Amino acid sequence: MPEQNVFQKIIAGEIPADIVYEDSKCLAFHDIAPQAPTHILVIPRKPIRSVADLEDEDGPLIAHLWSVIRMVADRVGLRNGYRVVVNCGSDGGQEVDHLHYHLLGGRALKWPPG
Ligand code: AMP
């Protein structure tokens, strides 16, 4: 059996995470190396490697993840706005091969990204 990546281990409860929200379809937890005052990762429990691996049937799950992103942003008080980032593949800077949304906020973020 292939080695599980870090997010799969968090989903399985094998390593700890600072979880801010969870339900039957997803988890939201603080990034271990925050790039902004608020940096939360929202991930599906379903093992999807990246945006490039999404299938049409994942539409309802993706809609749910966006609704969780909005709810978590509100819950942690990101009243002035925020940024949601999804890195895809090596050129996109993806390091963990499990679909995840970065929710960043708590300061004015620069644009464009590097
Ligand atoms: P990406 O580069 O888009 O694949 O982002 C992976 C993110 O996972 C990075 O921002 C890491 O800091 C974060 N990360 C890695 N390990 C952990 C962990 N154990 N708990 C929380 N966040 C993590």
Side-chain angles (χ1 to χ4, degrees), residues 47-111:
I48 300 168
R49 287 173 64 85
S50 79
V51 165
D53 295 282
L54 283 169
E55 297 176 349
D56 289 349
E57 68 180 29
D58 295 318
L61 173 61
I62 296 307
H64 178 69
L65 294 175
W66 279 105
S67 119
V68 168
I69 289 166
R70 289 199 307 276
M71 182 268 292
V72 169
D74 188 52
R75 186 181 281 190
V76 300
L78 296 178
R79 311 261 181 260
N80 293 330
Y82 48 85
R83 185 173 295 165
V84 180
V85 173
V86 184
N87 298 325
C88 179
S90 56
D91 275 6
Q94 182 175 5
E95 291 180 353
V96 179
D97 288 335
H98 184 105
L99 179 66
H100 52 282
Y101 292 75
H102 297 258
L103 170 61
L104 298 147
R107 66 171 167 82
L109 299 163
K110 292 184 172 47
W111 188 263

